[in-house]
C-alpha cells in the first residue's frame, strides 16, 4: 500500500472549489494583519469577516442589497491552529466582526472569554432550523448556551463504483464496509491520509458493535488504538490500495478508475461525475462525517456598537439567498436550505438549479438526522489520533 505525496496544486481539507467560487476581492485580500484596534470602523456599515473561503461568495451584491451593509472578507487557512493563533495571539477580534471557521475550537475560545454567546432571538431565520442542527454539540454549550451558528455544513461519506463494488446506486444506502472490510473492493480502496479515517472507521465499528466506541467524533486514546488495530489487520489482508491527501488526488483516482471506493468530499465525486464517470456518492447505513463551518462573534464586538449590524448579517446567512448560492456553488447545505428553494423559485432560477437546491434539502432532512456522527475537526486527544494514524500508515 502506498501513500501519495502529490501535493502540488492541491486544495486542503474542505477548502473546495475556491478557484471557481471565490472572487478577486477575496483572493487579493491582505494577509492577516497584527495590530491596533479598529474602533474607527465601528459605524461604517461594513461587516468585516475573517474566515475560510468555503463560506465566501464570489459576489456579495445580494447581501448588500438585502442588508444595506458591505462585506470585507479576509481569507484564512482552514487549519484550526491558524484560526486559534489569529484569535488568541494576533487580536483578530479587534479587527473583525465575525469569524468563520470549523466548529471545533468554540469551547476553548468561549471558556477563555474570546467570544460572545449568540442571542438567537435576534436571528429570526434561526427559528426554522432543524432540531438535529439546533442541538448539535458543535454549537451548543452548557446550559443551552449558543456560541456560534452554522454557515455551511455537509455530511461526508465516500465515493464508489456500483459495478465494481457490487453495490446499488445512490440513494439506496450502502455500508462503509465497502471501504473497510469487503472482498469485492479488496485492494481497490483509497483512504483519507488524515486522522479523519480513524473516525470514519470508528463509526462503522460502533454501528455494527464490532468494538466498544463512545463518540466516533471524539475518540479516546484506547479507542484510537482499537480502531488502528482493526485498520492494520485489514491493511495486512490487502484491503487498501493508497491514501490521498488532496482534492485533486481524489478526483484523479476516480477519473482514472484506480479505485472501486474511496473516502471523498462530495464535490470531488461531483467533479468526477461531471467528466462522465459513473461514480456514486454514498448514502450510508451507518452514518456520516457531519461537519460545520460556523460564524463566531468576537467579544470586542460588544464595545464597537455594531452588534445590530452583525445580527443582521447572521440572519442573512441563515436566509434564502445565501442558501441558494451555496447549494449551487458547493453542493453544500446551510441550516435553512428550505429558504434557498423559496428564494430560487421567486427569483426565477432555472429548473436544474432549483432541483440542485432541493437535493440539499433532502440531505439536510435525511443525512443530518442520522445519529452518527458530528465531527468538530478538533478532537480532545489529537496526539493519540496522530500517533495511531501514523502507526496504521506505517504498518
Amino acid at each position: 500500500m502506498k501513500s501519495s505525496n502529490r501535493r502540488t496544486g492541491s486544495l486542503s481539507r474542505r477548502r473546495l472549489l475556491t478557484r471557481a467560487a471565490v472572487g478577486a476581492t477575496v483572493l487579493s485580500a491582505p494577509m492577516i494583519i497584527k495590530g491596533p484596534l479598529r474602533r474607527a470602523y465601528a459605524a461604517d456599515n461594513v461587516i468585516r469577516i475573517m474566515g475560510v473561503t468555503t463560506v465566501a461568495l464570489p459576489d456579495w451584491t445580494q447581501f448588500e442589497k438585502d442588508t444595506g451593509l458591505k462585506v470585507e472578507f479576509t481569507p484564512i487557512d482552514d487549519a484550526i491552529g491558524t484560526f486559534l493563533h489569529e484569535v488568541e495571539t494576533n487580536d483578530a477580534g479587534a479587527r473583525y466582526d465575525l469569524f468563520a471557521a470549523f466548529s471545533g475550537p468554540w469551547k476553548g475560545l468561549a471558556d477563555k472569554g474570546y467570544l460572545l454567546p449568540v442571542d438567537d432571538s435576534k436571528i429570526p431565520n434561526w427559528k426554522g432550523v432543524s432540531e438535529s442542527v439546533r442541538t448539535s454539540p458543535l454549537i451548543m454549550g452548557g446550559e443551552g448556551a449558543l456560541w456560534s451558528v452554522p454557515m455551511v455544513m455537509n455530511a461526508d461519506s465516500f465515493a464508489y463504483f456500483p459495478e465494481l463494488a457490487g453495490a446499488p446506486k445512490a440513494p439506496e444506502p450502502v455500508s462503509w464496509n465497502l471501504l473497510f472490510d469487503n472482498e469485492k473492493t479488496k485492494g481497490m480502496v483509497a483512504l483519507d491520509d488524515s486522522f479523519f479515517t480513524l473516525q470514519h472507521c470508528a463509526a462503522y465499528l460502533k454501528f455494527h458493535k464490532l468494538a466498544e466506541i463512545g463518540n466516533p467524533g471524539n475518540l479516546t486514546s484506547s479507542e484510537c488504538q482499537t480502531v488502528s488495530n482493526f485498520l492494520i489487520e485489514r491493511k495486512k489482508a490487502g484491503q487498501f490500495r493508497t491514501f490521498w491527501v488532496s482534492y485533486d488526488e481524489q478526483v484523479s483516482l476516480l477519473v482514472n478508475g484506480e479505485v472501486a471506493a474511496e473516502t471523498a468530499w462530495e464535490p470531488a465525486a461531483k467533479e468526477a461525475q461531471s467528466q462522465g464517470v459513473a461514480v456514486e456518492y454514498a448514502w450510508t447505513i451507518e452514518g456520516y462525517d457531519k461537519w460545520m463551518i460556523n460564524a463566531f462573534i468576537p467579544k470586542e464586538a460588544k464595545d464597537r456598537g455594531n452588534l445590530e449590524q452583525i445580527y443582521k448579517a447572521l440572519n442573512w446567512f441563515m436566509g434564502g439567498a445565501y442558501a441558494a448560492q451555496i447549494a449551487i456553488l458547493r453542493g453544500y447545505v446551510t441550516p435553512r436550505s428550505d429558504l434557498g428553494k423559496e428564494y430560487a423559485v421567486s427569483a426565477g432560477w432555472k429548473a436544474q438549479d432549483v432541483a440542485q437546491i432541493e437535493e440539499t434539502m433532502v440531505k439536510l432532512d435525511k443525512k443530518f438526522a442520522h445519529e452518527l456522527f458530528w465531527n468538530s475537526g478538533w478532537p480532545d486527544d489529537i496526539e493519540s489520533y496522530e500517533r495511531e494514524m501514523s502507526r496504521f500508515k506505517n504498518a
Side-chain angles (χ1 to χ4, degrees):
M1 181 176 176
K2 60 184 180 180
S3 177
S4 175
N5 61 1
R6 291 177 289 127
R7 297 175 184 265
T8 303
S10 69
L11 299 177
S12 59
R13 179 171 174 80
R14 295 179 181 134
R15 195 195 313 154
L16 304 175
L17 307 182
T18 297
R19 292 165 293 190
V22 181
T25 56
V26 174
L27 294 178
S28 64
M31 294 181 64
I32 305 300
I33 303 170
K34 301 179 183 179
L37 298 175
R38 59 163 195 81
R39 294 183 186 276
Y41 298 122
D44 61 359
N45 284 334
V46 176
I47 295 296
R48 290 171 173 84
I49 303 173
M50 180 186 76
V52 298
T53 53
T54 307
V55 305
L57 298 176
D59 184 351
W60 294 98
T61 300
Q62 193 64 47
F63 174 88
E64 295 173 359
K65 179 181 177 181
D66 294 343
T67 65
L69 305 171
K70 293 184 179 297
V71 169
E72 286 184 6
F73 191 99
T74 299
I76 188 172
D77 188 272
D78 63 3
I80 290 178
T82 302
F83 168 60
L84 291 174
H85 180 75
E86 292 301 329
V87 175
E88 297 182 351
T89 305
N90 287 348
D91 297 323
R95 291 170 283 112
Y96 297 99
D97 301 304
L98 287 171
F99 305 140
F102 286 106
S103 54
W106 71 263
K107 189 176 188 303
L109 293 176
D111 290 345
K112 294 176 183 178
Y114 287 102
L115 304 176
L116 290 180
V118 177
D119 183 352
D120 59 18
S121 70
K122 296 180 180 179
I123 308 175
N125 288 333
W126 185 253
K127 295 178 181 178
V129 174
S130 69
E131 186 70 13
S132 62
V133 173
R134 290 170 65 93
T135 59
S136 169
L138 303 190
I139 59 175
M140 295 301 296
E143 300 180 353
L146 183 65
W147 289 99
S148 65
V149 293
M151 295 178 68
V152 172
M153 311 182 296
N154 207 45
D156 287 356
S157 59
F158 57 92
Y160 67 101
F161 290 89
E163 290 187 8
L164 291 176
K169 294 182 178 180
E172 188 170 340
V174 295
S175 173
W176 282 83
N177 77 355
L178 293 181
L179 295 174
F180 300 121
D181 192 5
N182 189 286
E183 286 296 320
K184 291 186 177 179
T185 60
K186 182 181 287 187
M188 297 185 292
V189 172
L191 299 177
D192 187 340
D193 185 71
S194 77
F195 62 59
F196 293 109
T197 287
L198 296 180
Q199 296 176 323
H200 300 155
C201 186
Y204 167 72
L205 295 176
K206 177 181 175 69
F207 184 90
H208 294 286
K209 296 181 173 57
L210 298 174
E212 291 293 327
I213 302 291
N215 177 7
N218 195 22
L219 300 170
T220 65
S221 178
S222 62
E223 289 170 342
C224 285
Q225 184 176 17
T226 295
V227 176
S228 184
N229 288 341
F230 175 82
L231 288 169
I232 290 171
E233 178 183 329
R234 297 307 304 147
K235 182 179 181 180
K236 290 179 178 179
Q239 182 66 36
F240 312 119
R241 180 184 184 277
T242 190
F243 295 101
W244 54 258
V245 297
S246 73
Y247 173 82
D248 293 336
E249 289 174 12
Q250 295 172 64
V251 176
S252 178
L253 287 166
L254 296 174
V255 171
N256 295 330
E258 298 179 51
V259 294
E262 69 173 22
T263 49
W265 311 331
E266 190 165 4
K270 289 185 178 296
E271 172 63 25
Q273 290 169 346
S274 74
Q275 298 184 38
V277 178
V279 67
E280 298 288 327
Y281 198 66
W283 289 70
T284 76
I285 294 170
E286 297 87 356
Y288 303 88
D289 180 347
K290 300 183 294 184
W291 54 268
M292 297 175 173
I293 299 176
N294 293 2
F296 303 84
I297 306 175
K299 65 177 175 61
E300 292 86 349
K302 184 176 181 179
D303 296 328
R304 281 199 288 267
N306 65 339
L307 278 174
E308 182 178 347
Q309 296 169 325
I310 289 172
Y311 277 107
K312 183 181 289 187
L314 288 176
N315 194 56
W316 191 86
F317 288 126
M318 296 298 110
Y322 186 67
Q325 291 180 78
I326 286 295
I328 301 303
L329 286 169
R330 311 269 197 257
Y332 286 164
V333 177
T334 78
R336 294 304 308 272
S337 292
D338 57 321
L339 296 182
K341 180 183 177 182
E342 291 180 14
Y343 172 83
V345 171
S346 65
W349 285 22
K350 294 181 293 185
Q352 56 264 41
D353 288 339
V354 174
Q356 189 169 337
I357 296 169
E358 288 176 335
E359 288 180 11
T360 67
M361 294 172 62
V362 174
K363 185 191 306 183
L364 184 60
D365 181 50
K366 301 297 184 183
K367 292 186 176 182
F368 279 88
H370 206 292
E371 178 183 357
L372 300 175
F373 65 95
W374 286 107
N375 183 0
S376 73
W378 195 250
D380 291 339
D381 192 355
I382 289 180
E383 290 185 1
S384 291
Y385 272 73
E386 292 179 341
R387 180 187 67 247
E388 293 302 324
M389 188 64 189
S390 179
R391 186 166 70 90
F392 162 48
K393 289 192 293 183
N394 294 328

